[in-house]
Amino acid sequence: MTTTAPERHEFQAEISQLLDIVIHSLYTDKEIFVRELISNAADALEKLKFLQTSGKPVFQPEAELKIAIDTDDAVHTVAFTDTGIGMTREELIENLGTIAHSGSKAFLKQLAENKGDANLIGQFGVGFYSAFMVGDKVSVYSRSYEEAEQGWCWTSDGVGGYEIESVENLPRGTKIVVHLKEDEKRFAEKFTIEGVIKRYSNFVSAPIELNGEKVNTVKAIWSRSKSEITDEEYKEFFHYISHESSDPSYRLHFNADAPISIQALLFVPERSMEKIAMTRSESAVNLYCRRILIQPHAKGLFPDWLRFLKGVVDSEDLPLNISRETMQDSALMQKLNKVLTGRFLKLLAEESATDPVKYDRFFLEFGHCLKEGAVNDYTHREPLTKLLRFESSFTEKGKLTSLTDYVGRMAEGQKEIFYVLAPNRENAETSPYYEGLKANNFECLFLADPVDEFVMEHLRQFDGRDLKPAEKAEIDIEPTGDAGLDQEAAKSLAAFFQKTLGSERVNEVRVSKRLANSPAVALESDKMLTTSMRRMMKQMNAGAGGMGMPEGKPDFEINPGHAVMVRLEAMRAKDAALAAKVAEQIFDSALVTAGMLEDPRAMIKRMNDLMEKLLEEK
Ligand code: ADP
Ligand code: MG
């Protein structure tokens, strides 16, 4: 059949690397190559259907839209044939020889680190290469839908490169022949392939024939009535569209007629791909009009923070011949977006009320998206804020609370919602900023994610109450007894600190009313900032040599009830030099606690001096 000599091409370096891992290191779930090749064939058919419906001329318009799979256990091959859009020579080179998708690098990295789950291959947009898990040679025969084109054959053993040659008399579409490796011959048996199709590909919207017999039932699941669909079917559909093997955590299937016709079937996966792959995911909801795919992974259908949703939206009101660019910001798309987002937020509100434990699990996976929405999406801020969850001093370790519940528990006389940012619960509980709240039995949110503080900063208020960093809280602890310094002595000690530290190091020294256990605390003096915000700004500005940093020395508060302060006040009269050294040490320790000490060298030297002194006297 061939007319020209084969032309040799090398794989792009990343493809070679990827194939090397696919061929040598992926041992599990080899059968998923069937799912991936069928999914590519189905995509090609959907694209063709779209072209035809929008009136484009195609080569061989009469060809039936279907997928044919043929096994041959005499020569150990399995072939996947579709009558879809096909590929030109350039497209074969581009699609099968280079990595065009951003996710593929992430997949490669993950595989290299040996955390690779072969099952995820399709999600990273490199599903085709899974054929090399079972095949030692793969041939792709393809004829584009465009009249003026001709047929081509792409062949590779998955090592180094591939060959391309022209082939005459190919029908429209693509045929992929997998020549099976010695120990993967089972895929040349009808029985094996049939099992895999049943498992993964029941929802392909085109008929599939296996060795000439039809094997799937074609009916768009989202257009069926809810009462007819079993949980199992929903799960299978999710597996099919998401290329995932775990079950979805939430599902939303709904119809609407006004203000716009919508049939939608949406899922929340169990786990966040962004967390697994450390990349930003793109929306994976496909847009249909009367069961014809208009746009896979449609942009603009949902706000960005809902990019973790998977599923299908079908609207009869969509014009078929609209270009994707104009569609993205059309009024129609905005209407769809509004209805869909509203429905989904309602679902989350309901789910969080009926099963809070499950909701918390969801939040731990996708909370970062909701937080992003609460900050950026002003239209949905209010419902989103109610969906946020945080750990707090009133929850058990690892359990979360909503702001609504926090407000419901607020103590008499408490006007604000308090929070403290700390890397973990233990740190939060021993934070000097939290001592005053604890003594007053005021609840305090424990924020572990630096982004949380940013969220609080943006929201400013919830339910009419200010969101307040604990370190800015004006909270007094009732003085408990007479063990500490009296007012006079405390004031004079504060003045001693001020003088010893000097205006170079400290802004204002005060006698604290907020401390229970700590001898002293350092505070951000800028009203608009917190200690952690300053720390973050410093880090971000590090490259610019500190340019753009707001000026400022910390405020410092001493605890007049603390034994250290009582003895320090007494020591001043006996040994002023030693007292000064201890004062400086207390100050530096407070800076360490606040994460504000930049250079520990002076502190360490001083500490050594003090220890020397301590030991000599004993
Ligand atoms: P993805 O399907 O996520 O894009 P794949 O590695 O599965 O990634 O496929 C790469 C590309 O190769 C597809 O995007 C498509 O352009 C092309 N392709 C693969 N199989 C077919 C086919 N049967 N018909 C037409 N194009 C195909
Ligand atoms: Mg694919």
Side-chain angles (χ1 to χ4, degrees), residues 47-63 83-85 143-149 172:
K47 286 177 195 160
L48 190 95
K49 219 193 283 179
F50 177 75
L51 290 173
Q52 277 188 315
T53 348
S54 44
K56 258 211 134 151
V58 302
F59 177 63
Q60 294 181 337
E62 70 291 345
T83 47
I85 52 164
R143 166 63 164 97
S144 164
Y145 75 94
E146 292 191 63
E147 309 256 13
E149 287 294 334
R172 183 194 72 218

PDB file of all heavy atoms in Angstrom, residues 47-63 83-85 143-149 172:
ATOM      1  N   LYS A  47     -15.388  15.207  17.589  1.00  0.00           N
ATOM      2  CA  LYS A  47     -14.919  16.361  16.824  1.00  0.00           C
ATOM      3  C   LYS A  47     -15.500  16.335  15.416  1.00  0.00           C
ATOM      4  O   LYS A  47     -15.896  17.366  14.870  1.00  0.00           O
ATOM      5  CB  LYS A  47     -13.382  16.375  16.768  1.00  0.00           C
ATOM      6  CG  LYS A  47     -12.733  16.782  18.081  1.00  0.00           C
ATOM      7  CD  LYS A  47     -11.215  16.698  17.976  1.00  0.00           C
ATOM      8  CE  LYS A  47     -10.571  16.748  19.366  1.00  0.00           C
ATOM      9  NZ  LYS A  47      -9.204  16.211  19.365  1.00  0.00           N
ATOM     10  N   LEU A  48     -15.565  15.148  14.835  1.00  0.00           N
ATOM     11  CA  LEU A  48     -16.122  15.054  13.488  1.00  0.00           C
ATOM     12  C   LEU A  48     -17.601  15.418  13.484  1.00  0.00           C
ATOM     13  O   LEU A  48     -18.087  16.141  12.613  1.00  0.00           O
ATOM     14  CB  LEU A  48     -15.934  13.653  12.906  1.00  0.00           C
ATOM     15  CG  LEU A  48     -16.305  13.702  11.425  1.00  0.00           C
ATOM     16  CD1 LEU A  48     -15.079  13.923  10.561  1.00  0.00           C
ATOM     17  CD2 LEU A  48     -17.097  12.519  10.976  1.00  0.00           C
ATOM     18  N   LYS A  49     -18.307  14.908  14.489  1.00  0.00           N
ATOM     19  CA  LYS A  49     -19.734  15.186  14.584  1.00  0.00           C
ATOM     20  C   LYS A  49     -19.960  16.694  14.660  1.00  0.00           C
ATOM     21  O   LYS A  49     -20.847  17.251  14.025  1.00  0.00           O
ATOM     22  CB  LYS A  49     -20.292  14.510  15.847  1.00  0.00           C
ATOM     23  CG  LYS A  49     -21.663  13.896  15.635  1.00  0.00           C
ATOM     24  CD  LYS A  49     -22.321  13.526  16.950  1.00  0.00           C
ATOM     25  CE  LYS A  49     -21.757  12.249  17.566  1.00  0.00           C
ATOM     26  NZ  LYS A  49     -22.390  11.923  18.866  1.00  0.00           N
ATOM     27  N   PHE A  50     -19.115  17.342  15.416  1.00  0.00           N
ATOM     28  CA  PHE A  50     -19.234  18.785  15.569  1.00  0.00           C
ATOM     29  C   PHE A  50     -19.024  19.492  14.235  1.00  0.00           C
ATOM     30  O   PHE A  50     -19.785  20.389  13.860  1.00  0.00           O
ATOM     31  CB  PHE A  50     -18.228  19.284  16.610  1.00  0.00           C
ATOM     32  CG  PHE A  50     -18.237  20.780  16.769  1.00  0.00           C
ATOM     33  CD1 PHE A  50     -19.267  21.411  17.451  1.00  0.00           C
ATOM     34  CD2 PHE A  50     -17.225  21.550  16.222  1.00  0.00           C
ATOM     35  CE1 PHE A  50     -19.286  22.787  17.594  1.00  0.00           C
ATOM     36  CE2 PHE A  50     -17.245  22.934  16.353  1.00  0.00           C
ATOM     37  CZ  PHE A  50     -18.269  23.555  17.044  1.00  0.00           C
ATOM     38  N   LEU A  51     -18.002  19.059  13.489  1.00  0.00           N
ATOM     39  CA  LEU A  51     -17.726  19.676  12.184  1.00  0.00           C
ATOM     40  C   LEU A  51     -18.924  19.502  11.255  1.00  0.00           C
ATOM     41  O   LEU A  51     -19.346  20.431  10.573  1.00  0.00           O
ATOM     42  CB  LEU A  51     -16.489  19.034  11.541  1.00  0.00           C
ATOM     43  CG  LEU A  51     -15.153  19.346  12.205  1.00  0.00           C
ATOM     44  CD1 LEU A  51     -14.045  18.519  11.569  1.00  0.00           C
ATOM     45  CD2 LEU A  51     -14.837  20.832  12.082  1.00  0.00           C
ATOM     46  N   GLN A  52     -19.461  18.290  11.257  1.00  0.00           N
ATOM     47  CA  GLN A  52     -20.596  18.011  10.373  1.00  0.00           C
ATOM     48  C   GLN A  52     -21.820  18.835  10.744  1.00  0.00           C
ATOM     49  O   GLN A  52     -22.475  19.393   9.881  1.00  0.00           O
ATOM     50  CB  GLN A  52     -20.943  16.516  10.424  1.00  0.00           C
ATOM     51  CG  GLN A  52     -20.073  15.692   9.496  1.00  0.00           C
ATOM     52  CD  GLN A  52     -20.530  14.252   9.386  1.00  0.00           C
ATOM     53  OE1 GLN A  52     -20.826  13.634  10.409  1.00  0.00           O
ATOM     54  NE2 GLN A  52     -20.584  13.717   8.194  1.00  0.00           N
ATOM     55  N   THR A  53     -22.098  18.922  12.028  1.00  0.00           N
ATOM     56  CA  THR A  53     -23.283  19.679  12.441  1.00  0.00           C
ATOM     57  C   THR A  53     -23.127  21.154  12.134  1.00  0.00           C
ATOM     58  O   THR A  53     -24.103  21.852  11.905  1.00  0.00           O
ATOM     59  CB  THR A  53     -23.544  19.549  13.959  1.00  0.00           C
ATOM     60  OG1 THR A  53     -22.729  18.521  14.464  1.00  0.00           O
ATOM     61  CG2 THR A  53     -24.976  19.276  14.238  1.00  0.00           C
ATOM     62  N   SER A  54     -21.882  21.637  12.163  1.00  0.00           N
ATOM     63  CA  SER A  54     -21.743  23.057  11.855  1.00  0.00           C
ATOM     64  C   SER A  54     -21.532  23.278  10.360  1.00  0.00           C
ATOM     65  O   SER A  54     -21.130  24.343   9.939  1.00  0.00           O
ATOM     66  CB  SER A  54     -20.634  23.688  12.705  1.00  0.00           C
ATOM     67  OG  SER A  54     -19.506  22.862  12.747  1.00  0.00           O
ATOM     68  N   GLY A  55     -21.813  22.239   9.544  1.00  0.00           N
ATOM     69  CA  GLY A  55     -21.895  22.418   8.102  1.00  0.00           C
ATOM     70  C   GLY A  55     -20.582  22.347   7.350  1.00  0.00           C
ATOM     71  O   GLY A  55     -20.499  22.732   6.181  1.00  0.00           O
ATOM     72  N   LYS A  56     -19.528  21.875   7.973  1.00  0.00           N
ATOM     73  CA  LYS A  56     -18.235  21.768   7.274  1.00  0.00           C
ATOM     74  C   LYS A  56     -18.216  20.552   6.361  1.00  0.00           C
ATOM     75  O   LYS A  56     -18.688  19.482   6.752  1.00  0.00           O
ATOM     76  CB  LYS A  56     -17.121  21.627   8.313  1.00  0.00           C
ATOM     77  CG  LYS A  56     -16.370  22.922   8.517  1.00  0.00           C
ATOM     78  CD  LYS A  56     -14.941  22.659   8.869  1.00  0.00           C
ATOM     79  CE  LYS A  56     -14.074  23.579   8.034  1.00  0.00           C
ATOM     80  NZ  LYS A  56     -12.859  23.988   8.557  1.00  0.00           N
ATOM     81  N   PRO A  57     -17.670  20.689   5.141  1.00  0.00           N
ATOM     82  CA  PRO A  57     -17.567  19.505   4.286  1.00  0.00           C
ATOM     83  C   PRO A  57     -16.495  18.565   4.843  1.00  0.00           C
ATOM     84  O   PRO A  57     -15.444  19.014   5.286  1.00  0.00           O
ATOM     85  CB  PRO A  57     -17.136  20.075   2.931  1.00  0.00           C
ATOM     86  CG  PRO A  57     -16.533  21.393   3.227  1.00  0.00           C
ATOM     87  CD  PRO A  57     -17.148  21.900   4.489  1.00  0.00           C
ATOM     88  N   VAL A  58     -16.782  17.266   4.849  1.00  0.00           N
ATOM     89  CA  VAL A  58     -15.770  16.308   5.314  1.00  0.00           C
ATOM     90  C   VAL A  58     -15.611  15.201   4.276  1.00  0.00           C
ATOM     91  O   VAL A  58     -16.536  14.904   3.512  1.00  0.00           O
ATOM     92  CB  VAL A  58     -16.158  15.671   6.673  1.00  0.00           C
ATOM     93  CG1 VAL A  58     -16.362  16.731   7.739  1.00  0.00           C
ATOM     94  CG2 VAL A  58     -17.396  14.806   6.540  1.00  0.00           C
ATOM     95  N   PHE A  59     -14.435  14.586   4.284  1.00  0.00           N
ATOM     96  CA  PHE A  59     -14.154  13.462   3.396  1.00  0.00           C
ATOM     97  C   PHE A  59     -14.995  12.258   3.837  1.00  0.00           C
ATOM     98  O   PHE A  59     -15.139  11.999   5.022  1.00  0.00           O
ATOM     99  CB  PHE A  59     -12.645  13.165   3.474  1.00  0.00           C
ATOM    100  CG  PHE A  59     -12.197  11.980   2.670  1.00  0.00           C
ATOM    101  CD1 PHE A  59     -12.321  11.965   1.283  1.00  0.00           C
ATOM    102  CD2 PHE A  59     -11.628  10.870   3.305  1.00  0.00           C
ATOM    103  CE1 PHE A  59     -11.889  10.871   0.546  1.00  0.00           C
ATOM    104  CE2 PHE A  59     -11.197   9.774   2.574  1.00  0.00           C
ATOM    105  CZ  PHE A  59     -11.335   9.780   1.185  1.00  0.00           C
ATOM    106  N   GLN A  60     -15.578  11.567   2.884  1.00  0.00           N
ATOM    107  CA  GLN A  60     -16.441  10.404   3.156  1.00  0.00           C
ATOM    108  C   GLN A  60     -17.547  10.691   4.184  1.00  0.00           C
ATOM    109  O   GLN A  60     -17.589  10.083   5.256  1.00  0.00           O
ATOM    110  CB  GLN A  60     -15.605   9.204   3.622  1.00  0.00           C
ATOM    111  CG  GLN A  60     -14.686   8.687   2.528  1.00  0.00           C
ATOM    112  CD  GLN A  60     -13.851   7.473   2.959  1.00  0.00           C
ATOM    113  OE1 GLN A  60     -13.623   7.245   4.133  1.00  0.00           O
ATOM    114  NE2 GLN A  60     -13.405   6.708   1.973  1.00  0.00           N
ATOM    115  N   PRO A  61     -18.441  11.642   3.841  1.00  0.00           N
ATOM    116  CA  PRO A  61     -19.466  12.037   4.828  1.00  0.00           C
ATOM    117  C   PRO A  61     -20.405  10.885   5.189  1.00  0.00           C
ATOM    118  O   PRO A  61     -21.031  10.914   6.241  1.00  0.00           O
ATOM    119  CB  PRO A  61     -20.226  13.167   4.130  1.00  0.00           C
ATOM    120  CG  PRO A  61     -19.930  13.009   2.684  1.00  0.00           C
ATOM    121  CD  PRO A  61     -18.579  12.375   2.575  1.00  0.00           C
ATOM    122  N   GLU A  62     -20.489   9.886   4.335  1.00  0.00           N
ATOM    123  CA  GLU A  62     -21.450   8.807   4.574  1.00  0.00           C
ATOM    124  C   GLU A  62     -20.945   7.766   5.578  1.00  0.00           C
ATOM    125  O   GLU A  62     -21.717   6.961   6.075  1.00  0.00           O
ATOM    126  CB  GLU A  62     -21.825   8.125   3.248  1.00  0.00           C
ATOM    127  CG  GLU A  62     -20.714   7.287   2.589  1.00  0.00           C
ATOM    128  CD  GLU A  62     -19.537   8.109   2.032  1.00  0.00           C
ATOM    129  OE1 GLU A  62     -19.676   9.344   1.891  1.00  0.00           O
ATOM    130  OE2 GLU A  62     -18.473   7.523   1.749  1.00  0.00           O
ATOM    131  N   ALA A  63     -19.645   7.816   5.890  1.00  0.00           N
ATOM    132  CA  ALA A  63     -19.090   6.786   6.776  1.00  0.00           C
ATOM    133  C   ALA A  63     -19.773   6.801   8.142  1.00  0.00           C
ATOM    134  O   ALA A  63     -19.947   7.856   8.738  1.00  0.00           O
ATOM    135  CB  ALA A  63     -17.583   7.009   6.950  1.00  0.00           C
ATOM    136  N   THR A  83     -13.864   6.284  12.783  1.00  0.00           N
ATOM    137  CA  THR A  83     -14.143   7.064  11.580  1.00  0.00           C
ATOM    138  C   THR A  83     -14.198   8.547  11.926  1.00  0.00           C
ATOM    139  O   THR A  83     -14.980   9.308  11.383  1.00  0.00           O
ATOM    140  CB  THR A  83     -15.478   6.613  10.963  1.00  0.00           C
ATOM    141  OG1 THR A  83     -16.447   6.543  12.021  1.00  0.00           O
ATOM    142  CG2 THR A  83     -15.366   5.262  10.310  1.00  0.00           C
ATOM    143  N   GLY A  84     -13.353   8.937  12.886  1.00  0.00           N
ATOM    144  CA  GLY A  84     -13.329  10.328  13.357  1.00  0.00           C
ATOM    145  C   GLY A  84     -12.565  11.270  12.456  1.00  0.00           C
ATOM    146  O   GLY A  84     -12.408  11.000  11.260  1.00  0.00           O
ATOM    147  N   ILE A  85     -12.056  12.358  13.024  1.00  0.00           N
ATOM    148  CA  ILE A  85     -11.451  13.395  12.182  1.00  0.00           C
ATOM    149  C   ILE A  85     -10.112  12.994  11.580  1.00  0.00           C
ATOM    150  O   ILE A  85      -9.663  13.618  10.633  1.00  0.00           O
ATOM    151  CB  ILE A  85     -11.228  14.746  12.915  1.00  0.00           C
ATOM    152  CG1 ILE A  85     -10.462  14.535  14.213  1.00  0.00           C
ATOM    153  CG2 ILE A  85     -12.506  15.495  13.124  1.00  0.00           C
ATOM    154  CD1 ILE A  85      -9.894  15.828  14.739  1.00  0.00           C
ATOM    155  N   ARG A 143      -6.202   9.051   8.223  1.00  0.00           N
ATOM    156  CA  ARG A 143      -6.603   9.833   7.054  1.00  0.00           C
ATOM    157  C   ARG A 143      -7.477  10.955   7.571  1.00  0.00           C
ATOM    158  O   ARG A 143      -8.524  10.706   8.177  1.00  0.00           O
ATOM    159  CB  ARG A 143      -7.378   8.921   6.083  1.00  0.00           C
ATOM    160  CG  ARG A 143      -8.165   9.620   4.977  1.00  0.00           C
ATOM    161  CD  ARG A 143      -7.236  10.399   4.050  1.00  0.00           C
ATOM    162  NE  ARG A 143      -7.850  10.790   2.776  1.00  0.00           N
ATOM    163  CZ  ARG A 143      -8.391  11.995   2.528  1.00  0.00           C
ATOM    164  NH1 ARG A 143      -8.481  12.901   3.479  1.00  0.00           N
ATOM    165  NH2 ARG A 143      -8.851  12.279   1.318  1.00  0.00           N
ATOM    166  N   SER A 144      -7.023  12.189   7.374  1.00  0.00           N
ATOM    167  CA  SER A 144      -7.747  13.348   7.889  1.00  0.00           C
ATOM    168  C   SER A 144      -9.101  13.516   7.195  1.00  0.00           C
ATOM    169  O   SER A 144      -9.305  13.066   6.070  1.00  0.00           O
ATOM    170  CB  SER A 144      -6.907  14.604   7.671  1.00  0.00           C
ATOM    171  OG  SER A 144      -7.700  15.755   7.800  1.00  0.00           O
ATOM    172  N   TYR A 145     -10.005  14.196   7.851  1.00  0.00           N
ATOM    173  CA  TYR A 145     -11.334  14.492   7.280  1.00  0.00           C
ATOM    174  C   TYR A 145     -11.240  15.497   6.145  1.00  0.00           C
ATOM    175  O   TYR A 145     -12.181  15.670   5.372  1.00  0.00           O
ATOM    176  CB  TYR A 145     -12.266  15.035   8.368  1.00  0.00           C
ATOM    177  CG  TYR A 145     -11.945  16.461   8.739  1.00  0.00           C
ATOM    178  CD1 TYR A 145     -12.611  17.524   8.118  1.00  0.00           C
ATOM    179  CD2 TYR A 145     -10.960  16.766   9.672  1.00  0.00           C
ATOM    180  CE1 TYR A 145     -12.298  18.843   8.432  1.00  0.00           C
ATOM    181  CE2 TYR A 145     -10.644  18.066   9.985  1.00  0.00           C
ATOM    182  CZ  TYR A 145     -11.313  19.108   9.360  1.00  0.00           C
ATOM    183  OH  TYR A 145     -10.999  20.397   9.656  1.00  0.00           O
ATOM    184  N   GLU A 146     -10.112  16.182   6.030  1.00  0.00           N
ATOM    185  CA  GLU A 146     -10.018  17.215   5.001  1.00  0.00           C
ATOM    186  C   GLU A 146      -9.800  16.570   3.631  1.00  0.00           C
ATOM    187  O   GLU A 146      -8.909  15.758   3.449  1.00  0.00           O
ATOM    188  CB  GLU A 146      -8.883  18.186   5.336  1.00  0.00           C
ATOM    189  CG  GLU A 146      -9.219  19.009   6.572  1.00  0.00           C
ATOM    190  CD  GLU A 146      -8.255  20.160   6.784  1.00  0.00           C
ATOM    191  OE1 GLU A 146      -8.213  21.045   5.914  1.00  0.00           O
ATOM    192  OE2 GLU A 146      -7.560  20.160   7.811  1.00  0.00           O
ATOM    193  N   GLU A 147     -10.628  17.001   2.695  1.00  0.00           N
ATOM    194  CA  GLU A 147     -10.662  16.372   1.368  1.00  0.00           C
ATOM    195  C   GLU A 147      -9.283  16.304   0.711  1.00  0.00           C
ATOM    196  O   GLU A 147      -8.891  15.290   0.156  1.00  0.00           O
ATOM    197  CB  GLU A 147     -11.591  17.164   0.430  1.00  0.00           C
ATOM    198  CG  GLU A 147     -12.968  17.441   1.002  1.00  0.00           C
ATOM    199  CD  GLU A 147     -14.038  16.547   0.390  1.00  0.00           C
ATOM    200  OE1 GLU A 147     -13.674  15.552  -0.285  1.00  0.00           O
ATOM    201  OE2 GLU A 147     -15.229  16.848   0.611  1.00  0.00           O
ATOM    202  N   ALA A 148      -8.543  17.378   0.788  1.00  0.00           N
ATOM    203  CA  ALA A 148      -7.294  17.476   0.030  1.00  0.00           C
ATOM    204  C   ALA A 148      -6.155  16.646   0.617  1.00  0.00           C
ATOM    205  O   ALA A 148      -5.092  16.540   0.018  1.00  0.00           O
ATOM    206  CB  ALA A 148      -6.871  18.951  -0.050  1.00  0.00           C
ATOM    207  N   GLU A 149      -6.372  16.056   1.759  1.00  0.00           N
ATOM    208  CA  GLU A 149      -5.291  15.316   2.414  1.00  0.00           C
ATOM    209  C   GLU A 149      -5.158  13.896   1.864  1.00  0.00           C
ATOM    210  O   GLU A 149      -5.956  13.450   1.049  1.00  0.00           O
ATOM    211  CB  GLU A 149      -5.555  15.256   3.926  1.00  0.00           C
ATOM    212  CG  GLU A 149      -5.323  16.577   4.626  1.00  0.00           C
ATOM    213  CD  GLU A 149      -3.857  17.007   4.607  1.00  0.00           C
ATOM    214  OE1 GLU A 149      -2.985  16.120   4.521  1.00  0.00           O
ATOM    215  OE2 GLU A 149      -3.598  18.234   4.686  1.00  0.00           O
ATOM    216  N   ARG A 172     -11.502   7.487   5.914  1.00  0.00           N
ATOM    217  CA  ARG A 172     -11.383   8.574   6.887  1.00  0.00           C
ATOM    218  C   ARG A 172     -11.256   8.006   8.294  1.00  0.00           C
ATOM    219  O   ARG A 172     -11.917   7.021   8.644  1.00  0.00           O
ATOM    220  CB  ARG A 172     -12.626   9.472   6.826  1.00  0.00           C
ATOM    221  CG  ARG A 172     -12.521  10.674   7.778  1.00  0.00           C
ATOM    222  CD  ARG A 172     -13.833  11.369   7.973  1.00  0.00           C
ATOM    223  NE  ARG A 172     -14.740  10.580   8.787  1.00  0.00           N
ATOM    224  CZ  ARG A 172     -16.031  10.497   8.573  1.00  0.00           C
ATOM    225  NH1 ARG A 172     -16.595  11.127   7.547  1.00  0.00           N
ATOM    226  NH2 ARG A 172     -16.778   9.763   9.366  1.00  0.00           N
TER     227      ARG A 172
END
